[in-house]
Amino acid sequence: EITSLLSLYGGQFSGEQEIHVNSPFWILSIPSEEMARGLMKRTVCAKSVFELWGHGRSAGELYASLKNYPMDKMLPYLQSDSTYKVHIHTFNRTLTQAQKIKKIDALEFLPFKGKVNLKNPEHIFWILEDYGMDPNNVPEEPFHLYFGRWIADGQRELIESYSVKKRHFIGNTSMDACLSFIMANHGRVKPNDVVYDPFVGTGGLLISSAHFGAYVCGTDIDYNTIHGLGKASRKNQKWRGPDENIRANLRQYGLEKYYLDALVSDSSRPIWRKGMLFDAIITDPPYGIREATRRTGSQKETVKSAERSTENHIFVSSNYHLSDIFFDLLKFAAECLVMGGRLVYWLPIYRPEYTEEIIPRHPCLKLISNCEQMLSSHTSRRLITMEKVKEFKDQDQNSDSLDGQYMPYRGHNSFREKYFSGVTKRIAKEEKDNQK
């Protein structure tokens, strides 16, 4: 998330960051304070950002680093007519009040001229101490110490204010608010973008993109979900109410002006005119566990007929193989994303058999990131972010690139199809076992 936002706002990781890759404190190189504030207006993963004045592996190194910090950069925040306070944060350890005061008093060599104001200071300075990631093995002294001026906090309060528990319209697989905002940030969604979700469901992923000022739309094969009909997913509620729909969700958060529309459509079949371009495609495809993987069929295919009813508005439907879902999704993204636009989606995996080779590829799309969310000891899902780097051509539509080479993607003998069929069965079995 941070890497995507840095590429959006400008900035990069410091070379020193490689040394502290497992630390909760990261050093970033950001050209201006304004850019730092812009980054923190988006992130739900980072808690705060500080202007770094000094750091070291011991108190002595920290003090020496502070003494070398340019005085002309310090003085604007240390004037006699200003107010300030010093806050101490320790990761993986708790200090007594006496220990905190002792550490603050040790900074008396800094030329503070203003008055201390603990309630409403103009400037807040932080001492940050890193005691590692292992709660069962806490060292006596910190691994690293930092001192800096607080600039801004992240947007972690969005997780609570957009909580699915408080949402007007939900489904069985509505995306968690935190993950939804992370996905929007991976997609580098910005104001006036057009963001599309081909498996829109109850529209949870549209909300986070609309919050960042993008215009949103989506499609889904489920007639009842798009129109807000049928059985409710909320506990102690049998049927959905008259105003339970995607538009109502966006209206709940004051984002209705960003809502374009949601259509009933089969994602395996093209509905958009040529040249229809989206700035980002952000989606959570069905895995065939809690939500069925369906597509429209025909009488000529070996299909399962289904009569029109309140539960199914498709005359004939057929199974939609998980591997085909990803093939169609990548082909659509390659064709309909703007150059530099991003595709962000979840990929279910069975961890003991997982290799990077099973990640679907396309010659027009570059893999940007691959992040794992653990579901159980054996299963997880990976958040895949891809960026369009090449214009789509007809010869790209049935090919899959792996290590710079093209290979067939479709076909029932595909190793990916076998893998994903096994993933679906294993995840379903684990869910049943957990329910028992």
Side-chain angles (χ1 to χ4, degrees), residues 79-98:
Q79 298 299 316
S80 58
D81 58 348
S82 65
T83 58
Y84 73 95
K85 78 170 182 179
V86 179
H87 187 87
I88 295 183
H89 175 75
T90 54
F91 187 86
N92 199 28
R93 183 165 185 172
T94 302
L95 299 180
T96 65
Q97 189 63 24

Side-chain angles (χ1 to χ4, degrees), residues 6-265:
L6 285 174
S7 68
L8 181 63
Y9 285 98
Q12 59 187 7
F13 281 101
S14 165
E16 298 180 26
Q17 183 55 41
E18 297 176 8
I19 304 171
H20 311 299
V21 68
N22 292 321
S23 170
F25 303 105
W26 291 355
I27 300 176
L28 310 179
S29 298
I30 302 177
S32 69
E33 186 172 318
E34 181 182 358
M35 286 187 179
R37 292 184 186 278
L39 186 150
M40 300 310 287
K41 287 179 180 177
R42 293 288 302 262
T43 176
V44 293
C45 289
K47 292 184 69 175
S48 304
V49 66
F50 310 88
E51 181 184 63
L52 185 62
W53 285 16
H55 64 101
R57 296 184 180 181
S58 65
E61 285 188 17
L62 171 64
Y63 303 152
S65 178
L66 283 171
K67 291 174 182 177
N68 290 328
Y69 190 73
M71 188 59 65
D72 59 321
K73 292 185 178 181
M74 284 188 183
L75 288 179
Y77 310 103
L78 306 178
Q79 298 299 316
S80 58
D81 58 348
S82 65
T83 58
Y84 73 95
K85 78 170 182 179
V86 179
H87 187 87
I88 295 183
H89 175 75
T90 54
F91 187 86
N92 199 28
R93 183 165 185 172
T94 302
L95 299 180
T96 65
Q97 189 63 24
Q99 289 174 315
K100 291 180 179 180
I101 293 174
K102 183 178 179 181
K103 290 177 181 289
I104 293 173
D105 289 342
L107 296 174
E108 61 182 2
F109 61 89
L110 292 175
F112 288 109
K113 297 179 182 178
K115 294 182 179 179
V116 174
N117 185 332
L118 300 180
K119 292 185 178 181
N120 189 28
E122 292 179 56
H123 310 297
I124 305 175
F125 301 94
W126 285 60
I127 301 172
L128 306 167
E129 297 187 349
D130 179 10
Y131 286 87
M133 308 287 280
D134 185 0
N136 297 317
N137 186 23
V138 181
E140 284 297 319
E141 298 296 328
F143 293 124
H144 217 92
L145 300 92
Y146 308 85
F147 180 87
R149 178 177 64 90
W150 174 84
I151 294 177
D153 288 332
Q155 302 299 307
R156 294 188 64 81
E157 72 277 359
L158 294 178
I159 299 171
E160 179 62 27
S161 57
Y162 281 86
S163 172
V164 175
K165 296 177 182 178
K166 304 175 183 177
R167 194 164 297 168
H168 189 65
F169 177 46
I170 62 170
N172 293 333
T173 57
S174 292
M175 182 62 65
D176 171 79
C178 178
L179 295 177
S180 178
F181 280 104
I182 289 174
M183 291 177 74
N185 284 333
H186 274 242
R188 299 194 300 190
V189 174
K190 58 187 183 299
N192 298 320
D193 277 357
V194 178
V195 177
Y196 174 66
D197 183 353
F199 304 96
V200 70
T202 56
L205 295 179
L206 302 187
I207 293 171
S208 56
S209 295
H211 175 84
F212 293 134
Y215 294 94
V216 295
C217 58
T219 58
D220 202 285
I221 199 171
D222 193 317
Y223 180 96
N224 289 334
T225 300
I226 291 294
H227 290 276
L229 303 174
K231 294 181 180 179
S233 298
R234 202 179 300 276
K235 188 178 180 181
N236 300 324
Q237 182 182 340
K238 190 171 183 181
W239 302 101
R240 287 171 177 152
D243 194 32
E244 284 192 55
N245 51 55
I246 297 172
R247 182 185 290 273
N249 274 352
L250 288 152
R251 187 186 305 127
Q252 176 183 351
Y253 300 111
L255 303 172
E256 188 177 3
K257 64 181 179 180
Y258 296 112
Y259 181 58
L260 298 178
D261 210 344
L263 312 176
V264 179
S265 169

Side-chain angles (χ1 to χ4, degrees), residues 403-424:
D403 296 330
Q405 299 185 0
Y406 300 122
M407 55 186 294
Y409 185 83
R410 279 196 190 276
H412 294 286
N413 292 324
S414 165
F415 75 98
R416 286 192 181 90
E417 181 159 338
K418 292 179 180 178
Y419 175 86
F420 286 123
S421 296
V423 166
T424 303

